[in-house]
Amino acid sequence: MAFTTHCWKNFPRLELLFRGIVKRGRWLCLALSLMLAGVAQADTAVELQELKLDRQEAALYMSGTWQFELPSALEDALQKGITLYFVTEVEIRQERWYFYNQRVAFAERHVRLFYQPLTRRWRVNISPQAFNVSGLGVSLGQSYDTAEDAINAVRRIAQWRIANATDYNPEAKQTISINFKLDLKQLPRPMQIGLAGQSDWNIGYNKTQRLELKP
């Protein structure tokens, strides 16, 4: 009787453990199927076009368009309910002869793309923080009728505030580093392991150049 009572008390824990194992197994199976679908594919080329840096009274703004094609493996993932995350990072540094270059500004732009099967619409959310961060602040969102319209929204950057106007010093030598990538760290942990190193999921761009604003 005591043995039966002890087992019954532990049953909820065993049930939760079993559900966790099944859930992780489902993500691993999905990651494996997506991984096999993307074998022997080349890394996705990314270009930044129409880059514009605009200094106004209070801030420095960036506009531009990312040019890349979404691989078929990622399109299949979206249709299967996987959410994709893209992140753009901008860093401004000022050169110093006596020490390491000083970082004077840093900004992040996170974009979440997913498909809503019930409404058959696509959703894009934009946030200054990663979406898996607790206590997320302001997040802008919009729905689209087609995948192409939603992906175009992911590609487009319009008047994004990247620094304060006082951070730009025309008298000093400053550089701007722009980094863009498909952020696998915000995917479920089993998928991160299964998709690591898969070329279809390797979407990225990185460039550093002198920061000079045209009058």
Side-chain angles (χ1 to χ4, degrees):
M1 181 66 181
F3 176 78
T4 304
T5 303
H6 180 73
C7 291
W8 180 256
K9 289 181 179 179
N10 289 331
F11 181 77
R13 296 182 183 177
L14 295 174
E15 184 181 10
L16 290 175
L17 179 61
F18 178 76
R19 289 180 179 179
I21 294 174
V22 171
K23 185 177 181 180
R24 287 194 294 269
R26 185 164 61 247
W27 281 117
L28 285 172
C29 290
L30 181 57
L32 180 60
S33 64
L34 295 173
M35 178 179 64
L36 293 176
V39 172
Q41 297 291 328
D43 291 358
T44 302
V46 181
E47 295 182 1
L48 178 57
Q49 297 183 355
E50 302 175 357
L51 174 62
K52 180 181 179 182
L53 301 173
D54 181 25
R55 182 187 181 187
Q56 300 183 12
E57 292 184 0
L60 183 65
Y61 295 89
M62 171 180 162
S63 299
T65 302
W66 296 112
Q67 291 294 332
F68 66 93
E69 296 298 327
L70 204 63
S72 58
L74 272 65
E75 293 180 357
D76 292 342
L78 288 168
Q79 294 287 351
K80 292 177 181 178
I82 302 300
T83 300
L84 299 184
Y85 301 87
F86 300 86
V87 58
T88 304
E89 299 171 332
V90 171
E91 182 182 62
I92 298 176
R93 285 186 172 272
Q94 184 167 308
E95 297 181 8
R96 297 187 296 186
W97 65 269
Y98 58 91
F99 205 63
Y100 296 110
N101 294 344
Q102 178 186 14
R103 186 167 82 172
V104 296
F106 179 78
E108 292 179 303
R109 182 178 184 267
H110 295 265
V111 180
R112 178 172 61 187
L113 169 65
F114 60 97
Y115 178 63
Q116 299 171 307
L118 293 178
T119 60
R120 295 184 178 180
R121 303 197 72 192
W122 298 82
R123 184 75 176 174
V124 176
N125 293 94
I126 301 175
S127 170
Q129 303 179 59
F131 289 93
N132 56 11
V133 174
S134 59
L136 186 64
V138 178
S139 174
L140 303 177
Q142 188 170 349
S143 297
Y144 298 89
D145 293 329
T146 66
E148 186 63 25
D149 290 341
I151 295 174
N152 284 336
V154 174
R155 297 186 181 114
R156 184 171 57 252
I157 298 177
Q159 287 294 98
W160 172 34
R161 179 170 178 159
I162 60 174
N164 296 324
T166 54
D167 294 331
Y168 173 66
N169 183 2
E171 304 299 328
K173 293 182 178 180
Q174 292 183 320
T175 59
I176 179 171
S177 298
I178 304 173
N179 180 54
F180 171 78
K181 64 181 178 181
L182 174 65
D183 191 2
L184 300 182
K185 293 182 179 179
Q186 297 191 59
L187 294 174
R189 183 63 179 174
M191 289 200 65
Q192 296 180 32
I193 299 174
L195 297 175
Q198 294 303 306
S199 57
D200 268 354
W201 294 77
N202 185 18
I203 299 177
Y205 172 95
N206 187 277
K207 184 177 182 179
T208 299
Q209 64 185 48
R210 182 63 56 86
L211 177 58
E212 295 179 347
L213 303 184
K214 296 181 180 180

